């Protein structure tokens, strides 16, 4: 069975160099052909250029079992696979990522969901991880050297910011924080030892849309990696690889899985760069187990449908909140007056399911708002089918001091709302009742 799982791909695909830091000179000089995948025999491969995200989400990567005829990918609940001639050849040729040997190296369930991620991201290859933070930390360590430099922003998920602020210097990497919307400031921060630009495409929690195309141009001109966290948008709204990003990361916990019942992460990009990240993952141990891969693959099949509902609901709520007397300000990329003009073209497919807004009365009013919600849950995380609300000041950005929060625009009373797929009128009614309960609280 193991011998029949993988195709004979050697010599049929070759990764293309796109120009990156000195760390990847060895990769640019490689002449050995490599798989675009890894991919399996009987695995569904679909050309992303010829099919929409709904079709890709359902079909791409599915392993069609020749023995049982199972419609979905079976769960390969095995840690290890029988050695065969091809196993030893894989060790000898440095191709163990492409052959079933040991599940930490690769498993058919990993390959199935990775192919789905790669297809949706218009990428050559992908890797799944045990969490979004495993994806971020592994990718950044793989693509930088000791003595290297990373340019990033304080407008990041709290875990990412803490990694940058507290830990990267322990690994010998320098970090500079800049305004992610100021391409001149980002350019000025680039040094001779800069190896990575790391930003979120839509920032947490103020929904600032990064100048992705300008960042890609800057990265190309300076031979450095552009790594983008696309969690807030999903590949249904934006595929940064098409705009020149080298690696795109997701917390698979969020929209990709979409049901608040799984922790996972993904990275997608060129096979050459993903091989580097995969090798780092083996050492850090952040691989995703087969059972969770199966849950993620199942969740992703409805991604396009869910994102349509998330996006439509979020825009409707943003417009409604902007007119509500208890709301001081609303943040959403599709609202009139959104300050980042480059977003309109890039987000033509949708702006995602997030809305942030400030309530009159500050943090005290925001806390009372959450106490009075019935349908919308006050909880951390985002991207699930249910609507979730939180306040960044005491959750995702609690590690920032008041001054730092003000510097990035997190004002008192800021709410972060992950809009679910519920009926929009029910969501409005729930929010309206809770906003009314704030009463005459003042800052």
């Amino acid at each position: 069975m193991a011998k029949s799982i993988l195709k004979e791909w050697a010599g049929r695909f070759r990764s293309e160099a796109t120009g990156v830091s000195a760390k990847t000179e060895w990769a640019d000089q490689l002449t050995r052909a490599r798989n675009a995948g890894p991919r399996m025999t009987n695995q569904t491969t679909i050309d992303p250029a010829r099919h929409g995200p709904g079709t890709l989400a359902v079909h791409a990567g599915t392993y069609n079992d020749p023995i049982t005829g199972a419609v979905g990918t079976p769960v390969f609940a095995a840690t290890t696979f029988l050695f065969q001639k091809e196993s030893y050849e894989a060790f000898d040729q440095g191709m163990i990522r492409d052959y079933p040997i040991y599940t930490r190296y690769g498993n058919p369930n990993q390959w199935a969901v990775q192919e789905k991620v790669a297809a949706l991201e218009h990428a050559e290859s992908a890797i799944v991880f045990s969490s979004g933070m495993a994806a971020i930390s592994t990718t950044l360590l793989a693509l930088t050297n000791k003595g290297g430099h990373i340019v990033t922003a304080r407008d990041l998920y709290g875990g990412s910011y803490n990694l940058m602020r507290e830990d990267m210097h322990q690994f010998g990497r320098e970090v500079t924080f800049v305004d992610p919307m100021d391409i001149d400031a980002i350019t000025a921060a680039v040094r001779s030892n800069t190896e990575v630009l790391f930003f979120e495409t839509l920032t947490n929690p103020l929904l600032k849309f990064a100048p992705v195309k300008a960042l890609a141009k800057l990265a190309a001109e300076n031979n450095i990696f552009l790594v983008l966290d696309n969690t807030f948008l999903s590949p249904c709204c934006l595929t940064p690889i098409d705009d020149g990003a080298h690696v795109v990361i997701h917390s698979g916990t969020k929209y990709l899985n979409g049901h608040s019942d799984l922790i996972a992460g993904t990275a997608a990009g060129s096979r050459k760069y993903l091989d580097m990240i995969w090798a780092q993952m083996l050492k850090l141990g952040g691989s995703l187990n087969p059972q969770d891969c199966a849950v993620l693959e199942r969740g992703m099949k409805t991604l396009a449908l869910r994102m349509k509902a998330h996006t439509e609901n979020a825009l409707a709520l943003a417009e409604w909140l902007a007119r509500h007397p208890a709301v001081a300000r609303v943040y959403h990329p599709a609202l009139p007056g959104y300050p980042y003009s480059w977003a309109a073209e890039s987000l033509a497919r949708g702006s995602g399911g997030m809305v942030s807004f400030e309530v009159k009365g500050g943090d005290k009013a925001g806390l009372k708002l959450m106490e009075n919600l019935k349908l919308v849950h006050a909880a951390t995380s985002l991207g699930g089918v249910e609507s979730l609300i939180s306040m960044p000041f005491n959750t995702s950005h609690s590690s920032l001091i008041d001054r730092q929060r003000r510097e990035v625009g997190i004002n008192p009373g800021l709410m972060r709302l992950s809009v679910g797929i519920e009926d929009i009128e029910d969501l409005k009614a729930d929010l309206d009742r809770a906003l009314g309960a704030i009463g005459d609280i003042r800052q």
Side-chain angles (χ1 to χ4, degrees), residues 337-387:
Y338 185 71
Y340 311 111
S341 58
W342 53 83
E345 177 185 359
S346 295
L347 297 181
R349 287 183 284 162
S351 301
M354 302 300 297
V355 178
S356 292
F357 60 98
E358 295 168 14
V359 293
K360 296 176 181 178
D363 292 338
K364 185 177 180 180
L367 292 170
K368 187 170 183 180
L369 165 69
M370 291 193 297
E371 290 175 0
N372 285 276
L373 290 166
K374 304 298 182 184
L375 193 62
V376 179
H377 299 311
T380 191
S381 198
L382 59 104
V385 292
E386 63 286 302
S387 295

Side-chain angles (χ1 to χ4, degrees), residues 124-350:
E124 189 179 34
S125 186
I127 301 176
V128 289
F129 298 84
S130 56
S131 69
M133 283 308 304
I136 291 168
S137 58
T138 302
T139 296
L140 293 177
L141 288 174
L143 301 184
T144 56
N145 296 302
K146 183 178 180 180
H149 176 238
I150 300 169
V151 180
T152 187
R154 285 193 174 91
D155 297 74
L156 294 174
Y157 165 65
S160 301
Y161 174 73
N162 291 337
L163 172 70
M164 295 296 183
R165 182 176 65 92
E166 299 172 359
D167 300 301
M168 275 301 174
H169 70 280
Q170 304 280 12
F171 295 110
R173 277 74 163 169
E174 298 177 273
V175 178
T176 296
F177 295 97
V178 296
D179 180 348
M181 302 297 109
D182 189 343
I183 194 64
D184 291 334
I186 297 169
T187 301
V190 172
R191 309 173 185 171
S192 60
N193 65 332
T194 302
E195 295 179 316
V196 167
L197 305 178
F198 174 61
F199 297 99
E200 295 175 352
T201 53
L202 197 62
T203 68
N204 180 27
L206 294 173
L207 309 186
K208 305 173 185 177
F209 181 68
V212 173
K213 293 181 180 179
L215 289 171
K217 183 174 183 291
L218 177 63
E221 290 172 348
N222 290 273
N223 289 326
I224 53 183
F225 282 110
L226 175 59
V227 179
L228 295 176
D229 184 335
N230 197 36
T231 297
F232 269 35
L233 287 171
S234 91
C236 292
C237 296
L238 184 73
T239 46
I241 298 290
D242 294 335
D243 291 327
H246 295 101
V247 178
V248 176
I249 291 173
H250 285 272
S251 171
T253 310
K254 313 303 193 296
Y255 288 114
L256 295 190
N257 179 58
H259 292 80
S260 301
D261 59 1
L262 171 73
I263 301 294
T266 71
S270 163
R271 170 68 193 259
K272 175 171 47 185
Y273 308 143
L274 270 292
D275 277 356
M276 298 165 64
I277 298 167
W278 172 81
Q280 187 75 56
M281 183 191 70
L282 294 190
K283 290 172 279 189
L284 297 180
S287 59
L288 191 64
N289 69 66
Q291 291 83 357
D292 284 346
C293 287
V295 173
L296 180 56
E297 185 185 5
R298 180 183 62 187
M300 288 183 66
K301 289 185 178 183
T302 60
L303 176 64
L305 284 174
R306 288 186 284 105
M307 287 309 301
K308 184 175 185 296
H310 286 303
T311 299
E312 291 176 354
N313 277 357
L315 177 56
L317 273 185
E319 293 172 339
W320 178 81
L321 286 165
R323 300 188 298 269
H324 200 285
V327 175
R329 185 175 180 180
V330 180
Y331 301 85
H332 187 275
L335 286 182
Y338 185 71
Y340 311 111
S341 58
W342 53 83
E345 177 185 359
S346 295
L347 297 181
R349 287 183 284 162

